[in-house]
Amino acid sequence: MTKKTIILAVITFVFLLLHHMAAKAQNYISNSVKTSFFSSTPIEDIKAASSKTAAILISKTGEFAFQIRTKSFEFEKKLMQEHFNENYLESDQYPAATFKGVMAPIPDWTKNGEYNVTAKGTLTVHGVSKARNIAAKVLIREGTVNISAAFDVACADHNIDIPTLVFTKIAKVISVKVNGTLNPKP
């Protein structure tokens, strides 16, 4: 073999090795994760949803982050949406809710399957951050990752005041669901 052939073979090998390592340390992203919430009281049920939650997942470390603009939630009644943004979440002052954390155990990203994980991290709503452990499911199918979770958020934990005039219409604890598919980052 000539020196050029050996150098070309080494470069090709290094390139393939790096490419293989990068594939195992794949990152996943989405800008269309669905987030919804539900408040139930004897007087009235309130529900809203958004399909504009952004998410990123670093497979090697299990780190991930979700962010949703609070004004992206849509309600059945526009007046509820206005009150939500102006009176409760104060969306102009606190425009986003976030969750940043790490999942454990870290799934085997190379195998299709469903994995139960715990998302350990920080939930920030209304400018108040709280440490949370949230049970989640990770479904891996043909190179995509679906993450789903359901958890409760106490309004008091995030300094969300509910006026006494409407406390019978809005629950003190809100049920939240997150579900979305993340695709490999190009």
Side-chain angles (χ1 to χ4, degrees), residues 116-137:
N116 292 316
V117 299
T118 299
K120 298 177 183 181
T122 303
L123 176 67
T124 302
V125 178
H126 196 241
V128 178
S129 299
K130 291 285 184 182
R132 295 291 306 262
N133 291 334
I134 299 171
K137 287 198 182 292

Side-chain angles (χ1 to χ4, degrees), residues 83-95:
H83 288 169
F84 171 82
N85 285 306
E86 291 178 8
N87 302 334
Y88 304 112
L89 268 287
E90 300 174 280
S91 297
D92 288 336
Q93 185 175 356
Y94 308 106

Side-chain angles (χ1 to χ4, degrees), residues 43-65:
I43 304 277
E44 186 170 30
D45 289 340
I46 300 170
K47 56 185 171 181
S50 172
S51 59
K52 297 179 181 175
T53 302
I56 186 166
L57 165 67
I58 301 168
S59 64
K60 183 177 183 178
T61 61
E63 294 173 278
F64 64 94

Side-chain angles (χ1 to χ4, degrees), residues 39 46 83-90 93-94 125-128 153-174:
S39 163
I46 300 170
H83 288 169
F84 171 82
N85 285 306
E86 291 178 8
N87 302 334
Y88 304 112
L89 268 287
E90 300 174 280
Q93 185 175 356
Y94 308 106
V125 178
H126 196 241
V128 178
V153 176
C155 294
D157 285 350
H158 296 278
N159 294 338
I160 300 169
D161 293 325
I162 300 172
T164 54
L165 291 174
V166 295
F167 79 93
T168 57
K169 292 184 178 183
I170 300 172
K172 293 179 181 180
V173 177
I174 308 298

Side-chain angles (χ1 to χ4, degrees), residues 46 48 70-71 73-92:
I46 300 170
T70 52
K71 285 188 176 182
F73 281 106
E74 295 182 8
F75 292 70
E76 292 175 353
K77 298 176 184 175
K78 290 298 175 192
L79 186 57
M80 283 183 182
Q81 189 165 332
E82 185 179 314
H83 288 169
F84 171 82
N85 285 306
E86 291 178 8
N87 302 334
Y88 304 112
L89 268 287
E90 300 174 280
S91 297
D92 288 336

